[in-house]
Amino acid sequence: MGIRILHRGGASSRPAQDTEKKRTVPRARRLCALALLMLLPLQGWAVDRGRQVVVTKPDDAARLMDAVENAVWAADGKPASKAVYVVYSTDCAWSKRLFDETRALVGNVQLRWIPVAGNTAASVVAGRDSASVGSAFVGRGARAADAAAQRGVGYNQGVMDSITYQLRPYDRSKTFAFPTLVYRSGKSVKVVAGNPRNLATLAAEVASEPRAASLVPAGIELTAQAPTLLRSRNLPKWAHLNDTPMIFRAAPFPQAPAIDDLAKDFLVPVSGIVGTTGWIEVAPWGLDKRKAYVHDPLMARMALLDYRIKPQGGQWQATSVVQVREFPDTDAHVLETLKPGERYRRSGVVEHGGHVWDQIVLYADGAVGYVRR
């Protein structure tokens, strides 16, 4: 399966006197990977420095807080019912300034630092305490950390992307400011980009929530083990085929933060299949960049089908109404429904699942489909 941007027509073996059925590709699919890169920025819109956004819709506020609460954060100060989440870089001078200026504040609220970038970010994920935050700012944090800590930083980058994604209806600024503070304020959630102008009023603004004091972020467990990846035999690119946008997540778990969504008919490269969980690892920003995860059990199973194609030529003709499927499996997506008498070039035969399938060249760009005998 490839990026199909060519006209879809009958195979070249069809007799000239036959009327060729014209099949076109949806316009969205023609945009392909270039448009997808525009859809899924690594550090896209969030809130420009100095801006504040108040999220008042209960569902939106709950999702935003869920993302930061479950990041792999470092606790700064004693457990408290008031918590402020700080998304930052360990190399950021503004973030260090916030750390220095909030030493008197941590007795009233607990700051929870979420490192997403910086040479010593992984050391904060590994330590998860105030000492590790302070040491990282002055360059005393370890530049190399274990694999779990590195995964934690990657997960936190997903949290940053989730903030960006969730704030699109509220603010379409063009940068993500370090530090960015997220906290409950009354029944709303407040996002402050950059250093607050008046730290003295911050503690009073933060809403008290008893469960916050004992909260254990889910990101710790979700990044404890690297996902078991299997090679995708048959699915170099994954296409979203439903009308409802599909959610990408920062890790292959339903509770991981949502980082973007994908509209119908777009394609993204597949970098692996996460065991038998139904999750697919995709590379929206390039195969050498960090990954995202989409839950599509059917296509994950199709990607792992083990079948061999025996080359066989000749012409294939439909003797009745038949469905041409994307893979030699009765659950695979239907590419086309053909009428009796339609003819195509046969390119192979497959025995799979107790059935024999003809592989036919379905489209003018050479893409094939499978018909069960």
Side-chain angles (χ1 to χ4, degrees), residues 253-310:
F253 302 96
Q255 60 268 51
I259 59 177
D260 218 309
D261 57 49
L262 190 71
K264 183 178 180 180
D265 288 318
F266 283 96
L267 290 156
V268 288
V270 171
S271 48
I273 308 300
V274 186
T276 58
T277 64
W279 288 88
I280 300 174
E281 184 185 79
V282 295
W285 305 287
L287 290 171
D288 60 335
K289 307 295 184 183
R290 66 186 185 87
K291 308 303 189 294
Y293 299 87
V294 62
H295 193 242
D296 189 342
L298 173 60
M299 294 309 291
R301 188 170 73 80
M302 295 298 108
L304 299 177
L305 288 180
D306 187 9
Y307 60 88
R308 299 293 181 269
I309 300 170
K310 180 180 178 181

Side-chain angles (χ1 to χ4, degrees), residues 147-172:
Q150 297 291 352
R151 288 193 297 272
V153 175
Y155 185 90
N156 286 348
Q157 290 171 348
V159 171
M160 179 182 69
D161 286 343
S162 187
I163 296 172
T164 293
Y165 170 58
Q166 295 188 59
L167 288 185
R168 285 180 189 172
Y170 296 87
D171 188 278
R172 294 186 72 83

Side-chain angles (χ1 to χ4, degrees), residues 3-126:
I3 299 178
R4 300 173 186 169
I5 60 175
L6 302 179
H7 160 67
R8 286 185 174 182
S12 59
S13 60
R14 300 185 79 182
Q17 65 267 27
D18 285 359
T19 301
E20 189 172 272
K21 184 179 296 184
K22 306 295 183 182
R23 299 184 179 93
T24 58
V25 184
R27 181 176 182 275
R29 181 166 291 192
R30 299 178 188 224
L31 301 178
C32 302
L34 179 61
L36 188 61
L37 291 175
M38 297 170 63
L39 283 173
L40 298 170
L42 180 59
Q43 294 185 25
W45 294 302
V47 186
D48 286 327
R49 178 170 294 280
R51 298 285 298 278
Q52 296 186 6
V53 174
V54 179
V55 180
T56 57
K57 294 182 179 179
D59 289 346
D60 292 350
R63 282 190 291 266
L64 187 57
M65 285 305 301
D66 184 69
V68 295
E69 286 175 346
N70 289 301
V72 188
W73 42 262
D76 182 12
K78 295 180 180 179
S81 61
K82 291 186 175 185
V84 175
Y85 296 85
V86 184
V87 182
Y88 79 108
S89 166
T90 58
D91 294 344
C92 172
W94 284 101
S95 299
K96 182 180 184 304
R97 178 177 172 178
L98 178 66
F99 180 80
D100 293 338
E101 292 179 345
T102 53
R103 295 308 82 207
L105 186 66
V106 295
N108 298 314
V109 302
Q110 185 180 60
L111 298 179
R112 295 176 174 177
W113 297 82
I114 304 173
V116 302
N119 289 325
T120 52
S123 68
V124 179
V125 168

